[in-house]
Amino acid sequence: MGRGLASRTLTWMPASHPTEIEPDGAHLWLVRTADLANSLHDVDPPGLLNRRERERAARMSDAAKRNLYVDGRAGLRLLIEAYTGCPARRIRFRYGSRGKPALLGDRGRLRFNYSVSSGYALYAFSMTRELGVDLEIHPRTANVRGLFRRILSPAERMQFDALLPSQHNDAMLDCWTRKEAYGKLLGVGIRYNLSRTTLLENRHSDRWCSGVAGLFGDRTNGAMDERVCGTQIGLPVPGSAALMYDMPDPVRGHPDLKAFRWPTETP
C-alpha cells in the first residue's frame, strides 16, 4: 500500500566529504548521529558549539533531545567546514530579523538548513537559494484529526480526503514536514497561519510552488521572492522529509538535487 503522497526518488550516495555544489544545485546529507559521534573520535561535540548553542542545549531537560541537538549542530559545523574550509570552531553565524541563521563574512554565500529526528539529521546546502528542510523519522503516530483541522488549508483538505484511511498517518507526517520546511525557509518556524498556506495542490506530484502567505499580514521577506517552491523527499530510511527553496530565477525552476549519506550500514 502506497503512502498516499508522491515523493521524489533520489539516489543517496555514501560519502564522507562534500563535493562542490553546482551553481544552481542543492545538496542533501542524511546523517545517523551515532555514526557522526563515532567519526568524531576524541572530539567533544559540545566543544564545537558556540556559547549561544551551548546555552540552548543546557535549557533542554530531555537528555535524548539535548544530545540530538548537540550532535546535529556539531554535524552542521563539520559539513560547513568541509564546504568552506573554515575550522568548525571558528564558524560564526549572523541572524536575520526573524532569527534565521546565516554565515558571517565571505563564506555567507553558502546557504544551509537542517532538521533532526530520532537519531538522524538531514542537512541541506546551496550557494544560490535560501533553504528550509524538515525531517520526521518513522514510525511515528500523528494526531491526524487534530492536524487536519489545524494545519491544512481547504485545498489541502480536499487532497487529503481523497486518500485511503490507511495512508492518513504517513501522509499527514509528509504534510507536516512541508509546513515546517516552509516556516524554516522564511525564518518564522511554525509561527504563521499554517491553514492559510497551501503546499499540497496535487497529491500525485512530488513538487509544488506557493505564494508566500500566512504571515499574519507581514508579506515582507527581505530579498526572497514572493514565490517559493518545494519537494517531498524520498528517504533511504522510513520517514518523511520536505525541502523548500526560493525561486530567484523562474527560468531555472527547481534546483538540481544531489543526496548523500554519512557512511553507515544499511538499517
Side-chain angles (χ1 to χ4, degrees):
M1 183 67 64
R3 63 191 298 156
L5 301 188
S7 59
R8 186 173 180 184
T9 301
L10 297 172
T11 299
W12 291 83
M13 299 172 286
S16 58
H17 194 280
T19 58
E20 183 177 356
I21 303 176
E22 297 77 4
D24 194 39
H27 286 186
L28 293 170
W29 284 82
L30 181 67
V31 177
R32 194 165 64 177
T33 54
D35 294 332
L36 171 62
N38 290 336
S39 71
L40 292 176
H41 299 299
D42 57 347
V43 176
D44 179 29
L48 298 178
L49 276 55
N50 62 27
R51 185 180 66 180
R52 178 173 178 161
E53 293 165 323
R54 291 194 297 270
E55 289 175 349
R56 179 176 175 180
R59 292 193 296 269
M60 297 180 179
S61 58
D62 186 299
K65 291 182 179 180
R66 181 171 61 251
N67 291 337
L68 186 58
Y69 170 78
V70 170
D71 289 342
R73 296 297 290 191
L76 173 65
R77 287 176 170 276
L78 290 174
L79 285 169
I80 291 175
E81 175 182 340
Y83 277 113
T84 66
C86 179
R89 290 184 175 85
R90 294 178 56 191
I91 292 169
R92 298 292 182 266
F93 299 109
R94 57 183 172 85
Y95 295 87
S97 60
R98 298 193 182 108
K100 185 175 183 179
L103 293 177
L104 272 175
D106 295 340
R107 300 177 181 88
R109 289 200 313 122
L110 179 69
R111 287 83 179 272
F112 62 90
N113 202 244
Y114 85 106
S115 179
V116 293
S117 175
S118 299
Y120 283 87
L122 180 62
Y123 302 93
F125 297 93
S126 175
M127 301 301 294
T128 58
R129 298 176 187 256
E130 291 293 338
L131 302 167
V133 69
D134 192 58
L135 172 69
E136 295 289 344
I137 294 296
H138 299 178
R140 181 170 181 178
T141 301
N143 179 1
V144 173
R145 181 175 297 181
L147 291 175
F148 182 90
R149 293 192 300 266
R150 185 165 70 90
I151 75 169
L152 298 187
S153 70
E156 291 172 328
R157 293 176 187 181
M158 292 179 62
Q159 292 293 318
F160 198 86
D161 279 337
L163 300 174
L164 297 173
S166 60
Q167 299 171 326
H168 283 178
N169 187 80
D170 287 358
M172 185 57 77
L173 291 172
D174 287 347
C175 289
W176 177 255
T177 61
R178 295 179 183 220
K179 300 287 182 170
E180 280 262 27
Y182 173 87
K184 294 173 73 174
L185 168 69
L186 298 181
V188 298
I190 58 171
R191 299 184 300 277
Y192 69 97
N193 192 334
L194 286 76
S195 63
R196 280 189 52 207
T197 304
T198 297
L199 304 176
L200 176 60
E201 296 179 344
N202 181 355
R203 67 185 186 281
H204 302 298
S205 175
D206 59 21
R207 297 181 182 181
W208 66 91
C209 289
S210 171
V212 175
L215 299 185
F216 302 110
D218 176 14
R219 291 179 59 82
T220 60
N221 54 15
M224 191 178 297
D225 294 337
E226 289 293 329
R227 193 161 179 82
V228 295
C229 299
T231 301
Q232 196 78 46
I233 301 297
L235 297 169
V237 297
S240 299
L243 174 70
M244 292 288 299
Y245 33 86
D246 63 354
M247 193 69 78
D249 183 350
V251 175
R252 290 184 294 179
H254 298 272
D256 296 324
L257 290 180
K258 287 187 177 180
F260 305 95
R261 294 188 67 181
W262 202 285
T264 181
E265 297 179 0
T266 302

